[in-house]
Amino acid sequence: RCVEVFYIYFHAGRVEEPYVSITKKRQMPKDGYSEEIEKEVGQAEGKLCTHRSAPQLTLQLYICVLQQEITAARSIFMVLSLLSIVYGALRCNILAIKIKYDDYDVSVKPAAYLCIFMWRSFEIATRVTVLVLFSSVLQIWTLPVVLVNFFGFFFYPWILFWQSKSPFPENIEKALSRVGTTIVLCLLTFLYAGINMFCWSAVQVKLNDPDLINKSQNWYRLTVYYMLRFIENAFLLLMWYVYKTDIYLYVCAPLLVLQLLIGYCMAVLFMLVFYQFCHPCKKLFSSSISEGLLSCFKFLCFICEPPKSTVLMDKAEMKSENTDEAWSSSKTIDSQKGNAHQSVSSNA
């Protein structure tokens, strides 16, 4: 699939036929009037490459695990599939940057390419391995996990669209009817869900935007995605560790779990390095990735903290309990003093 994408790309000539074209309408001044023009801002043929190669890599690794054999041909094909997925994810990242900052001359440096490559390689490799390990011991639960992930990401853009109460998009393509537009949007969210099952989609779908792309840098969504994905990977690895079969007899299971979790953390680390130091438009951020993560953690801590009213009530109850105890103890002391006085007077 990766070779096919390169073949189409280099034989397209000047008239390109991308898999997914994104056009942007602009009002340009001309002779004292405003003229509307359409400008193509990018193409995402890497998305289709990612969408096809990720299930293919998962199936290849699953067969190798069940047969307990990795031949030279299989290893070559798996490496090519992984490189194909990473290439598609890298293309999506560069495309997202060019779309969000189309008014600027974006120059991506080699360090940025390296960070994106390492980030996507660790993220996709660990995700595919976790899914294969889980599916090899709990085949019956693989389908629910996949469906929950897929339909969650599929309906998420639609839920945001319904909550915004925006009008239905009509001007995606002039030749499309309302039914055709709905089909195109469903296919777009289908592709979006397929990508997010394996890695973070750099191009975030926003149906109430004319360009169908979310151009804002949302650190909260990014943080929540990677936190939930890490928790899910850890849970799937725990299930694999509990129900592992005899085919993993010669595998050090705790070490493998630790390696996969560290590998996913390495992906997050390279992502943070990219956004903090290597992003070509980091000076245009309203807040850096460190400030965004700090605000996210503060927000999460604020949610986890009990309400102030509850804390005040608890303090008041503790104070009243302490007052009651002090009052009862003082009464006890007074009664003891009274008894002692009575006994002394009786003796006298």
Side-chain angles (χ1 to χ4, degrees):
R1 299 303 182 184
C2 185
V3 173
E4 178 189 2
V5 168
F6 278 111
Y7 177 82
I8 295 175
Y9 179 75
F10 287 111
H11 286 77
R14 293 185 178 274
V15 182
E16 297 182 354
E17 296 181 358
Y19 292 115
V20 180
S21 296
I22 299 172
T23 59
K24 179 182 291 185
K25 293 184 178 181
R26 283 185 174 180
Q27 298 290 336
M28 301 296 292
K30 184 177 180 181
D31 299 331
Y33 297 95
S34 180
E35 181 182 3
E36 185 178 70
I37 63 171
E38 290 186 358
K39 179 184 178 183
E40 185 175 324
V41 296
Q43 59 181 11
E45 72 274 4
K47 286 185 176 182
L48 185 59
C49 182
T50 306
H51 187 59
R52 289 176 174 177
S53 299
Q56 186 176 354
L57 174 62
T58 307
L59 180 60
Q60 290 171 345
L61 185 59
Y62 180 78
I63 294 173
C64 292
V65 168
L66 291 186
Q67 295 185 354
Q68 303 181 23
E69 182 183 8
I70 302 179
T71 61
R74 287 177 184 171
S75 60
I76 291 174
F77 282 120
M78 285 192 294
V79 170
L80 289 177
S81 297
L82 180 60
L83 292 177
S84 175
I85 304 169
V86 174
Y87 163 75
L90 189 147
R91 286 282 302 175
C92 286
N93 275 101
I94 302 303
L95 174 65
I97 294 172
K98 290 182 178 180
I99 291 174
K100 292 178 182 178
Y101 306 98
D102 185 49
D103 297 331
Y104 301 90
D105 185 14
V106 178
S107 177
V108 185
K109 297 180 179 180
Y113 280 106
L114 179 61
C115 284
I116 296 174
F117 180 82
M118 298 301 294
W119 162 24
R120 295 304 191 178
S121 298
F122 277 108
E123 180 181 9
I124 296 168
T126 53
R127 176 63 177 170
V128 170
T129 306
V130 169
L131 290 176
V132 168
L133 291 177
F134 177 78
S135 60
S136 63
V137 296
L138 293 170
Q139 293 91 348
I140 193 173
W141 290 102
T142 305
L143 186 60
V145 171
V146 172
L147 291 180
V148 168
N149 273 272
F150 181 81
F151 284 111
F153 288 110
F154 180 83
F155 287 111
Y156 181 70
W158 290 101
I159 292 173
L160 294 180
F161 173 69
W162 290 327
Q163 287 180 347
S164 65
K165 298 181 181 179
S166 301
F168 190 79
E170 299 288 351
N171 299 322
I172 297 178
E173 290 291 341
K174 296 178 180 179
L176 291 178
S177 62
R178 191 179 183 88
V179 177
T181 302
T182 305
I183 295 175
V184 169
L185 293 178
C186 289
L187 292 176
L188 180 64
T189 50
F190 179 86
L191 184 62
Y192 171 78
I195 294 173
N196 276 277
M197 283 182 59
F198 294 93
C199 63
W200 168 258
S201 176
V203 181
Q204 298 296 306
V205 176
K206 189 176 182 181
L207 299 179
N208 58 348
D209 190 276
D211 297 326
L212 303 178
I213 298 297
N214 188 4
K215 304 179 188 65
S216 62
Q217 194 67 46
N218 196 325
W219 302 123
Y220 292 99
R221 187 181 300 178
L222 187 70
T223 305
V224 171
Y225 175 86
Y226 278 100
M227 288 181 63
L228 293 179
R229 185 64 77 202
F230 181 83
I231 294 173
E232 183 194 6
N233 287 343
F235 176 75
L236 295 181
L237 287 174
L238 177 62
M239 292 296 100
W240 168 77
Y241 182 79
V242 172
Y243 295 100
K244 64 181 183 295
T245 56
D246 294 338
I247 62 175
Y248 299 104
L249 186 62
Y250 299 102
V251 176
C252 184
L255 181 60
L256 181 58
V257 171
L258 182 62
Q259 288 175 343
L260 290 173
L261 294 179
I262 292 177
Y264 200 79
C265 293
M266 290 296 295
V268 176
L269 177 63
F270 279 107
M271 180 196 69
L272 296 178
V273 171
F274 168 71
Y275 279 111
Q276 184 70 27
F277 302 106
C278 301
H279 197 284
C281 303
K282 62 179 182 294
K283 295 181 180 180
L284 301 176
F285 290 168
S286 58
S287 62
S288 63
I289 181 66
S290 57
E291 295 174 353
L293 290 177
L294 184 60
S295 60
C296 291
F297 287 128
K298 287 182 179 179
F299 178 74
L300 292 175
C301 292
F302 176 76
I303 293 177
C304 296
E305 285 181 356
K308 291 184 178 180
S309 59
T310 307
V311 176
L312 293 175
M313 289 177 62
D314 293 339
K315 289 183 178 180
E317 289 177 358
M318 292 177 61
K319 188 175 181 180
S320 63
E321 289 177 359
N322 293 332
T323 305
D324 294 339
E325 290 177 358
W327 179 256
S328 60
S329 61
S330 64
K331 279 187 174 181
T332 305
I333 294 172
D334 293 339
S335 61
Q336 290 177 356
K337 288 181 179 180
N339 295 331
H341 180 70
Q342 290 176 1
S343 61
V344 170
S345 61
S346 61
N347 292 329

